[in-house]
Amino acid sequence: MTPAPTARLPILTTEAVTKVYRTGALAVHALAGVSLTLYQSEIVVLLGASGSGKSTLLNILGGLDQPTSGRVMFRDQDLTALGDAGLTAFRRAHVGFVFQFYNLVPSLTARENVALVTEIADHPMRPEEALERVGLAARLDHFPSELSGGEQQRVAIARAIAKRPEILLCDEPTGALDSKTGVTVLEALVEVNRDLGTTTALITHNAEIRRIAHRVIYMADGRIARVEENTSPMAPAEVSW
Amino acid sequence: MRALDRKVLRDLRTIWAQALAIALVLACGVMVLVLSTGTQRSLTETRDAYYERHRFADVFASATRAPLGLLPRIAAIDGVAQVEARIVFTAMLDLEGMAEPASARVISLPALGEPALNLPLLRSGRLPDPLQPDEVALSEPFAQANGLQPGDRFRAVLNGRLRTLVVTGHLLSPEYIYTIGPGAMMPDDTHFGLIWMREPAAAAASDLDGAFNDLTLSLSRGAHTESVIAELDRILAPYGGTGAHGRDRQMSHVFIEGELTQLGAMARVLPPVFLIVSAFLVNMVLGRLIALERQQIGLFKAIGYATAEIVLHYLKMTIGIGVLGVLIGWGMGWWLGHAMTTLYTEYFRFPWLDYRPGAAPLVVSGLLALAAVVIGAVRAVAAAVRLAPAVAMSPPAPPVFRRGWVGDLGAALALRQTTMMILRSLSRWPGRAAVTLFGVAGSVAVLVASFVTFDIIDVVMEDIFDKANRQDATLLLHRAVGERAELDALSLPGVLLAEGVYAVPIRLGHGSRSKLVSLMARDPAARLTRVLDDDGRPIPLPDSGVTLPEALADDLGLRLGDRVRIELLAPPRAPWDVTVTGIIRQSMGQDVQMNRSALFALMNEAPQVNMLNLAIDMASLSALQAQIKETPAAAGFTLWADVRGAMEATMNESLITMTLIFSALGMLITIGVVYNAARIQLAERAHELASLRVLGFRRSEVGYVLVAEQMLLTVVAVPVGWVAGYGFARLMTQGFSTDIISLPLMISQATYAQSALTVLAAALASVLLVRRRLDRIDIVTALKQKE
Ligand SMILES: Nc1ncnc2c1ncn2[C@@H]1O[C@H](COP(=O)(O)OP(=O)(O)O)[C@@H](O)[C@H]1O
Ligand SMILES: [Mg+2]
């Protein structure tokens, strides 16, 4: 459907990134040397068994966490050299997150959850516009408890894209949803990618979803097992699981 | 409004009951501060303005008879600004419709115009006409208590002659804001008053033509009070000077100062407890809220909120609770301040007294309260923002429980599993248990410190009225007479027993320190009035030497066996060194006791008395009173039953009201702490408790887990609170003790028991309130709820 981006401009690059978690005497090598480049405006799907290090990688890419060794470059900027304040500024300016369990603030309405981001962003869209993009124009003043799972996830997407981020990182955004609802969420993601050119990385358990991506990265045991190019991504509606 | 700020408001609304509980505890601290410092300030400012406008004197002196010709010499003393010589004496009154005699202090007004110092304030009518010797003005409270209006007449015994006087007006005086009759312990407006009379009439009535017996001075700025007093004493000594003194020995002033001291003590002792408990409560509640919101905090960080912004968010929430508490506290403090000030106007006769706390108590209490909650929040908030965003986003690991001592104990005692849940929870969250423990203990302590008031009143009243003073009445004489008066008094109607006392002002000195006090010289064999030891047992007065109240001995740095200098401020005036042979606890006054024959042996004179304590056959009381009204030697007659009645009335009105208020405040701490702790337990363990229900546990069995944990902590907290309460009560009695009153610290078992029971009841009520919520929880929903 969407053609692969013609000019392949690198936006995020990792070089031999490792992440070791130590709990007592035990050391878990969540990432065992990952080198990877994300290009501008592409959709990448990360696949892999549970525990293979997908979330860890995504968190490091988004500046939520620092690697144990290796380097992460955002364009010309070395993220691994940044402290807490620097990472916060990076996330604030460039990254949008979507998580499996939505992570909406229960005491704020849909509109206010989005406003949470637009209030601290530089050139945000209006919260109403963001919610309209994900098809929630009619649900502006509902609290999370009054929304279905799919609607809550779409609010989360609206919140992630409202600041027009260059990078959108989604950790199992459809994991908690049934297939029909999942499709509406993916459609929202693809539309944002097409309209705004947002680089999107998406973790999923569901191998079928790989069909909407430009590239698919397979992970196993903290390493990249292989990378697949997809010349003709399908529309989410055509995918079923 | 920003989205995060909306969250603050909505979160506060969700935890409103808990927020309110904290706010109320906080409000108590704020209230006590506003009440005490505000009242203190109102009282001080009113007094100072009154003193200033009505030229309250700085130095006071009296003598037996000093020629007016001394005045230029006195005015010439370095530092003296103004001199006012007066005639002051006591008169017995015979008021219509009153069987018992009343007495009054007669104070002279200048022959013309107004006095230069201690200017009375005319409240109604006019000042007496200098040409009408029978015209007098009365103190307003006395006139009102006896219904004496301008134009009314009443009878008085002046200089042994029964006279009829005409009231011209009502006055108030800065010298008599608080008025106590001679030998009395409480103000008694019905039986004691002030009479202002023009000087020629007063001189004629007291044989003091061309002389004065009372002197007041104002000093110029920067004058050295001590040296003026010393010089004045030197000048007046040949004329029977009884020792000049500054405002610090002026009765009315001393009582107001005492009240101010007590307000200060209240402001220092109580608010810290409430503020500290609120800080802990905020810590507990916010800590819990933040634990619940760790994923949201992770999210705020993920989407780029800086740590400072997140900290600010939770601080705003804290400040919301703080502001609520401060507003409630200000309101209650303001209201009680008004009530208390109104109460004061019954004892302190100011021309005006309004509760005007000014901004300072409000600002200070507000800032302290906000500081307390913010400090309480800091730890919880810091813990939250230290989380790395990626960690915060994942649900917290289930709490780690260890087998440990709880397991061993449980196995050993074969405890039920629900009891094990309680013990594990206590050992897993010791900090939280400590907050409850500390709070409840604080509550018990405040209660002990307020209930102890009743114990102290009991002891003081018993000491004064049942043990030390068993006389029915005290008759004051105009001048000292021989011991024969004791026998003469027996011929008065109804007098069963008469015991004389010689009371004389003295200067008591030790090293460089000295104090003006009264010396009571009495017969060691006296049965009506006795000296008590520390345990309240009557002890015989030592044959020689002086016996001092403990507070006075401390002031002068005196111990048993020390030599002390006594200087009689009446002839023969010579100073003697005597041994301190007794130090006793004495609640009221600073009287020094001495064996009468020992004193008069020193003076080389036949023993005398100027006061008679009487045991009376009450059936003949009215005959006795009628007789005394016409006895020229009598200067005052006090019925001890009246004194006791007046004292009890005062206690009931002010002290007991205050005590009840503080008890309510004490209970509020328990309610605030236990309610919050139980709500947190319920919220955290709803899932767990619902599972128990699924397993077939009954509501009561599940409720037990919740109720028993809080009650267990309360029970453990009680003895801790008792110990703290003892310390508090000590601080309070020390803070409340003044020159005039020194309070003994006696805590009865009833006080300990009542404070424990009150707190247990408050705790049980609070936790049962939360249990009702537990009963309403829907099992299925609770099971689905994901933390
Ligand atoms: N905070 C952590 N502490 C310890 N081990 C962790 C932590 N986060 C992840 N891990 C471990 O790192 C490995 C990779 O985890 P993760 O990246 O979450 O995998 P995935 O998202 O692919 O399921 C797993 O073995 C996991 O247990
Ligand atoms: Mg994962």
Side-chain angles (χ1 to χ4, degrees):
Chain A
M1 191 199 83
T2 327
T6 42
R8 298 246 274 182
L9 291 175
I11 182 161
L12 265 176
T13 312
T14 69
E15 295 164 17
V17 160
T18 70
K19 179 77 185 177
V20 184
Y21 288 112
R22 281 181 203 287
T23 36
L26 229 63
V28 178
H29 289 260
L31 293 179
V34 172
S35 300
L36 163 77
T37 303
L38 293 189
Y39 298 98
Q40 203 156 310
S41 302
E42 71 171 343
I43 298 183
V44 171
V45 161
L46 284 160
L47 277 175
S50 187
S52 57
K54 306 182 295 292
S55 297
T56 306
L57 177 60
L58 206 73
N59 288 343
I60 289 174
L61 285 174
L64 283 180
D65 215 345
Q66 286 286 19
T68 309
S69 69
R71 264 205 329 170
V72 183
M73 300 292 295
F74 169 69
R75 301 221 172 89
D76 297 333
Q77 192 179 12
D78 184 355
L79 294 185
T80 37
L82 295 179
D84 179 62
L87 281 184
T88 300
F90 163 67
R91 295 195 301 266
R92 194 165 175 146
H94 306 291
V95 192
F97 287 99
V98 179
F99 304 96
Q100 177 176 5
F101 293 111
Y102 333 133
N103 280 308
L104 298 181
V105 177
S107 55
L108 298 181
T109 62
R111 191 208 309 257
E112 290 160 358
N113 260 287
V114 178
L116 207 51
V117 169
T118 57
E119 280 164 2
I120 59 167
D122 276 343
H123 306 288
M125 44 184 105
R126 288 177 304 109
E128 295 78 7
E129 185 191 338
L131 284 162
E132 201 171 325
R133 273 185 187 284
V134 296
L136 284 178
R139 304 296 237 194
L140 294 177
D141 295 317
H142 287 63
F143 282 97
S145 61
E146 298 163 344
L147 298 171
S148 73
E151 287 170 331
Q152 287 184 53
Q153 191 60 299
R154 281 185 282 156
V155 174
I157 293 174
R159 189 176 62 191
I161 59 160
K163 64 177 168 197
R164 308 178 200 275
E166 286 141 282
I167 306 159
L168 187 58
L169 302 174
C170 313
D171 194 343
E172 304 191 38
T174 60
L177 304 174
D178 61 69
S179 112
K180 206 165 139 251
T181 327
V183 167
T184 64
V185 168
L186 291 180
E187 274 172 340
L189 287 175
V190 169
E191 244 169 76
V192 168
N193 170 259
R194 189 188 55 214
D195 298 353
L196 306 176
T198 313
T199 307
T200 306
L202 189 157
I203 294 179
T204 178
H205 260 52
N206 193 313
E208 286 304 304
I209 291 177
R210 74 179 191 280
R211 299 183 191 285
I212 69 165
H214 300 116
R215 281 199 302 157
V216 184
I217 295 171
Y218 290 89
M219 291 200 64
D221 299 328
R223 287 172 215 280
I224 294 179
R226 73 197 153 91
V227 180
E228 250 177 37
E229 298 272 342
N230 186 3
T231 44
S232 51
M234 289 160 76
E238 299 169 68
V239 181
S240 70
W241 64 86
Chain B
M1 190 190 285
R2 295 186 33 140
L4 268 188
D5 293 336
R6 279 200 198 139
K7 176 173 175 300
V8 170
L9 291 181
R10 299 217 178 106
D11 286 350
L12 277 177
R13 209 160 60 198
T14 315
I15 58 160
W16 71 268
Q18 286 166 270
L20 185 67
I22 300 175
L24 283 177
V25 174
L26 194 61
C28 293
V30 172
M31 183 213 89
V32 175
L33 264 179
V34 171
L35 171 66
S36 48
T37 55
T39 310
Q40 199 177 21
R41 190 187 143 114
S42 307
L43 212 54
T44 312
E45 289 193 344
T46 306
R47 181 195 65 180
D48 291 350
Y50 189 26
Y51 279 0
E52 166 99 37
R53 276 183 230 170
H54 289 263
R55 307 197 284 270
F56 182 53
D58 295 308
V59 172
F60 306 79
S62 52
T64 318
R65 180 194 183 97
L68 289 170
L70 286 182
L71 293 181
R73 256 178 79 196
I74 294 170
I77 297 174
D78 193 27
V80 172
Q82 270 175 308
V83 181
E84 177 89 40
R86 303 184 297 188
I87 292 168
V88 174
F89 59 93
T90 308
M92 295 293 283
L93 310 181
D94 177 14
L95 299 177
E96 213 149 307
M98 195 196 294
E100 64 274 23
S103 63
R105 181 165 301 145
V106 181
I107 302 164
S108 69
L109 290 169
L112 278 175
E114 289 178 336
L117 296 174
N118 305 309
L119 181 64
L121 173 74
L122 191 61
R123 300 279 282 181
S124 63
R126 58 173 174 83
L127 289 180
D129 183 335
L131 298 177
Q132 302 292 329
D134 291 336
E135 284 192 359
V136 294
L138 297 181
S139 53
E140 186 182 51
F142 174 72
Q144 280 171 349
N146 291 293
L148 288 167
Q149 299 305 322
D152 288 353
R153 284 154 197 279
F154 66 97
R155 297 195 300 163
V157 181
L158 297 180
N159 202 14
R161 272 185 55 212
L162 191 63
R163 297 250 309 263
T164 298
L165 302 174
V166 186
V167 181
T168 61
H170 296 166
L171 303 180
L172 284 178
S173 163
E175 224 181 336
Y176 293 97
I177 296 170
Y178 188 90
T179 312
I180 273 199
M185 292 182 167
M186 301 292 300
D188 179 355
D189 290 335
T190 313
H191 297 104
F192 181 75
L194 305 168
I195 295 178
W196 278 270
M197 189 181 267
R198 287 293 176 184
E199 196 193 283
S206 57
D207 298 327
L208 283 170
D209 276 312
F212 64 90
N213 66 0
D214 182 276
L215 191 72
T216 60
L217 308 179
S218 66
L219 302 182
S220 47
R221 204 171 291 279
H224 190 245
T225 314
E226 294 315 312
S227 47
V228 172
I229 288 175
E231 184 59 29
L232 190 58
D233 276 345
R234 223 175 356 258
I235 296 175
L236 288 180
Y239 307 97
T242 54
H245 56 83
R247 288 179 177 180
D248 60 328
R249 291 275 305 162
Q250 204 271 339
M251 197 55 113
S252 162
H253 182 82
V254 168
F255 269 90
I256 300 172
E257 280 289 303
E259 194 61 38
L260 292 173
T261 309
Q262 295 178 359
L263 286 171
M266 197 159 108
R268 274 194 312 277
V269 176
L270 283 172
V273 182
F274 291 101
L275 296 182
I276 292 172
V277 170
S278 330
F280 277 111
L281 278 181
V282 164
N283 182 275
M284 184 163 88
V285 170
L286 209 67
R288 149 78 192 164
L289 191 81
I290 286 174
L292 269 188
E293 294 196 345
R294 54 185 268 142
Q295 285 163 326
Q296 292 182 36
I297 293 167
L299 170 89
F300 296 145
K301 289 189 167 178
I303 61 184
Y305 275 91
T307 302
E309 289 168 306
I310 301 172
V311 169
L312 188 65
H313 169 68
Y314 287 102
L315 282 187
K316 276 184 188 163
M317 178 135 190
T318 309
I319 287 168
I321 296 176
V323 166
L324 182 67
V326 169
L327 290 180
I328 297 175
W330 281 354
M332 293 198 312
W334 195 278
W335 178 68
L336 279 172
H338 269 289
M340 187 136 158
T341 311
T342 309
L343 201 66
Y344 277 149
T345 55
E346 281 181 39
Y347 305 102
F348 295 123
R349 301 299 178 156
F350 288 101
W352 75 94
L353 178 59
D354 296 325
Y355 179 66
R356 285 179 205 280
L362 299 185
V363 172
V364 170
S365 63
L367 288 180
L368 280 178
L370 290 184
V373 289
V374 167
I375 289 170
V378 160
R379 224 182 61 125
V381 175
V385 298
R386 265 200 306 271
L387 289 174
V391 176
M393 301 279 288
S394 52
V400 181
F401 287 95
R402 292 199 181 78
R403 201 175 153 69
W405 63 269
V406 174
D408 300 338
L409 183 74
L413 298 180
L415 293 176
R416 280 191 296 173
Q417 288 314 305
T418 40
T419 306
M420 294 294 293
M421 286 171 70
I422 293 174
L423 294 181
R424 286 238 162 79
S425 150
L426 291 179
S427 70
R428 177 64 184 73
W429 287 284
R432 202 180 278 169
V435 172
T436 309
L437 203 84
F438 175 83
V440 174
S443 192
V444 173
V446 170
L447 287 180
V448 168
S450 54
F451 289 156
V452 78
T453 315
F454 297 102
D455 296 340
I456 292 175
I457 293 178
D458 277 353
V459 171
V460 170
M461 297 294 271
E462 199 188 323
D463 274 8
I464 295 179
F465 296 107
D466 295 335
K467 292 183 178 161
N469 296 286
R470 303 191 300 169
Q471 69 273 44
D472 297 309
T474 297
L475 178 63
L476 298 179
L477 305 177
H478 271 297
R479 49 186 65 87
V481 295
E483 273 183 322
R484 250 197 71 84
E486 288 181 343
L487 290 175
D488 294 346
L490 288 176
S491 62
L492 290 169
V495 173
L496 304 175
L497 192 60
E499 294 177 351
V501 176
Y502 181 70
V504 58
I506 59 167
R507 192 194 317 276
L508 200 61
H510 181 235
S512 59
R513 287 182 263 185
S514 76
K515 261 191 126 128
L516 290 177
V517 290
S518 289
L519 174 69
M520 308 294 265
R522 56 173 95 235
D523 182 349
R527 285 151 58 199
L528 294 177
T529 57
R530 303 180 302 184
V531 177
L532 305 180
D533 70 3
D534 280 4
D535 298 318
R537 275 189 302 264
I539 46 165
L541 207 52
D543 285 339
S544 65
V546 289
T547 297
L548 311 178
E550 204 171 355
L552 181 60
D554 286 349
D555 270 359
L556 293 174
L558 283 169
R559 274 182 302 183
L560 223 54
D562 284 352
R563 300 287 283 177
V564 59
R565 196 171 60 251
I566 61 173
E567 181 190 344
L568 254 61
L569 298 171
R573 307 188 75 90
W576 296 292
D577 272 348
V578 294
T579 311
V580 177
T581 45
I583 291 182
I584 53 163
R585 187 188 85 213
Q586 181 173 310
S587 310
M588 294 291 223
Q590 284 202 323
D591 295 345
V592 174
Q593 317 277 344
M594 191 173 180
N595 188 324
R596 193 162 78 223
S597 27
L599 174 67
F600 282 91
L602 279 177
M603 289 165 62
N604 226 343
E605 276 181 31
Q608 294 190 321
V609 299
N610 54 12
M611 235 172 102
L612 287 164
N613 290 314
L614 308 175
I616 300 171
D617 170 12
M618 284 298 163
S620 317
L621 180 60
S622 40
L624 175 64
Q625 289 171 330
Q627 174 98 46
I628 286 175
K629 282 181 186 175
E630 286 160 15
T631 305
F637 182 73
T638 311
L639 271 180
W640 282 76
D642 288 350
V643 175
R644 184 173 196 153
M647 207 149 155
E648 277 168 354
T650 312
M651 302 286 181
N652 283 330
E653 239 177 283
S654 50
L655 265 179
I656 294 181
T657 315
M658 284 314 280
T659 304
L660 289 181
I661 290 172
F662 286 131
S663 310
L665 300 190
M667 274 170 66
L668 258 179
I669 300 184
T670 292
I671 295 172
V673 170
V674 172
Y675 180 78
N676 267 308
R679 279 297 298 269
I680 288 175
Q681 280 291 334
L682 176 64
E684 277 184 356
R685 308 178 77 177
H687 185 85
E688 190 178 334
L689 298 176
S691 320
L692 287 183
R693 295 272 290 123
V694 173
L695 295 178
F697 281 81
R698 281 192 296 275
R699 281 186 199 287
S700 59
E701 291 166 323
V702 175
Y704 164 82
V705 177
L706 191 72
V707 175
E709 178 169 340
Q710 299 308 320
M711 292 315 287
L712 179 67
L713 284 174
T714 306
V715 168
V716 173
V718 164
V720 180
W722 284 340
V723 175
Y726 181 86
F728 263 32
R730 227 187 136 84
L731 278 178
M732 291 295 277
T733 47
Q734 281 168 358
F736 273 51
S737 293
T738 60
D739 258 10
I740 311 155
I741 301 169
S742 93
L743 298 177
L745 177 57
M746 299 274 170
I747 306 183
S748 68
Q749 284 171 355
T751 288
Y752 285 123
Q754 278 161 9
S755 55
L757 287 178
T758 312
V759 161
L760 285 171
L764 191 64
S766 319
V767 72
L768 286 180
L769 210 62
V770 178
R771 213 208 100 157
R772 283 220 329 241
R773 285 174 166 270
L774 173 64
D775 289 346
R776 283 202 302 265
I777 282 185
D778 178 46
I779 303 176
V780 182
T781 326
L783 283 180
K784 273 192 197 154
Q785 229 164 40
K786 195 168 51 68
E787 181 97 311

